[in-house]
Amino acid sequence: MKVLVAIKRVVDYNVKVRVKADQTGVDLANVKMAMNPFCEIAVEEAVRLKEKGVVSEIVVVTVGKKDAQEQLRTALALGADRAILVETEVEAQPLAIAKALKAIADKEGAKLVITGKQAIDGDNNQTGQMLAALMGASQGTFASKVEVAGDSVKVTREIDGGLQTVDLKLPAIVTTDLRLNEPRYASLPNIMKAKKKPLDTVTPADLGVDFTPRTKTLKVEPPADRKAGIKVKTVDELVDKLKNEAKVI
């Protein structure tokens, strides 16, 4: 079985994000970029399925600028077999990404598509669900456990108040949650081998997908500074402040 894994290039989670002075977006100049953490989990799960003999080939794909090849090479070093870059200078939004992934999944004949549940930059949590709708495929989102058997996949989902297990027929879309696995580190020999693995570049036009943005960002602002808390000596004082100052009771 062939599995398609979607990844995204984002600002490294250790970096403090800065907003541009004109408030048109996030300042990416000289900023360390990395693979989205949820996407790392998706790659790791695909590699584990291959190690179990369930998956025969892992194809990793991303949408973005040429610089995103760096993250594709990282995925190849972690165990993916091939990589595809959908190169575009246009801001890629969830629906366009989902359409591009569908076109690639159809072309590759992938039975299973694994993505991160969301990216830590846009935080949209939309692409996996949109892809499932476009493909008419079953979906298991927020996965904390994945078991493939024959032509079905059993997914344990993280939901409010507990866990839910769903049994999906292939083809299926799975989006990964934090507790699914712990991604491995790429070894130096595998990093060197990744440089020789195939990495193809296509354009949205090659896939027949229109990447024209459907939404426009008007302004980006940093979150307001949080005020320091206070300590109270008695319950009566706490109630008084909640009632007369905070006005929440």
Side-chain angles (χ1 to χ4, degrees), residues 48-62:
R48 293 189 183 192
L49 291 173
K50 185 177 180 182
E51 290 172 344
K52 293 177 181 177
V54 175
V55 169
S56 58
E57 185 181 25
I58 302 170
V59 181
V60 63
V61 58
T62 193

Side-chain angles (χ1 to χ4, degrees), residues 155-243:
V155 178
T156 300
R157 305 179 60 237
E158 301 267 351
I159 61 172
D160 292 341
L163 301 173
Q164 178 189 53
T165 301
V166 292
D167 196 7
L168 313 175
K169 292 294 183 182
L170 296 174
I173 315 299
V174 173
T175 71
T176 60
D177 212 329
L178 284 173
R179 280 157 289 279
L180 179 58
N181 60 52
E182 183 175 345
R184 69 192 70 191
Y185 291 98
S187 65
L188 182 57
N190 286 338
I191 292 174
M192 300 306 293
K193 291 177 183 177
K195 295 180 179 180
K196 297 182 180 180
K197 289 184 178 181
L199 192 160
D200 299 324
T201 300
V202 299
T203 65
D206 294 333
L207 302 174
V209 178
D210 181 9
F211 266 41
T212 303
R214 293 170 176 262
T215 60
K216 180 181 178 181
T217 300
L218 301 179
K219 183 192 293 186
V220 177
E221 296 178 315
D225 293 333
R226 296 183 64 180
K227 296 180 179 179
I230 60 172
K231 293 182 179 180
V232 295
K233 294 181 179 180
T234 66
V235 173
D236 290 339
E237 185 182 356
L238 171 62
V239 172
D240 178 68
K241 289 186 177 296
L242 290 176
K243 184 177 181 179

Side-chain angles (χ1 to χ4, degrees), residues 126-145:
Q126 294 176 338
T127 303
Q129 292 89 329
M130 288 178 171
L131 176 59
L134 291 171
M135 293 180 63
S138 51
Q139 60 176 303
T141 54
F142 319 130
S144 62
K145 186 176 181 181

Side-chain angles (χ1 to χ4, degrees), residues 90-130:
V90 177
E91 178 190 359
Q93 297 183 348
L95 182 57
I97 295 171
K99 289 180 178 179
L101 291 176
K102 178 186 183 300
I104 293 173
D106 290 344
K107 181 180 178 181
E108 294 288 339
K111 293 292 185 181
L112 179 64
V113 181
I114 307 178
T115 75
K117 72 169 185 176
Q118 65 196 80
I120 62 173
D121 51 3
D123 242 8
N124 292 311
N125 177 26
Q126 294 176 338
T127 303
Q129 292 89 329
M130 288 178 171

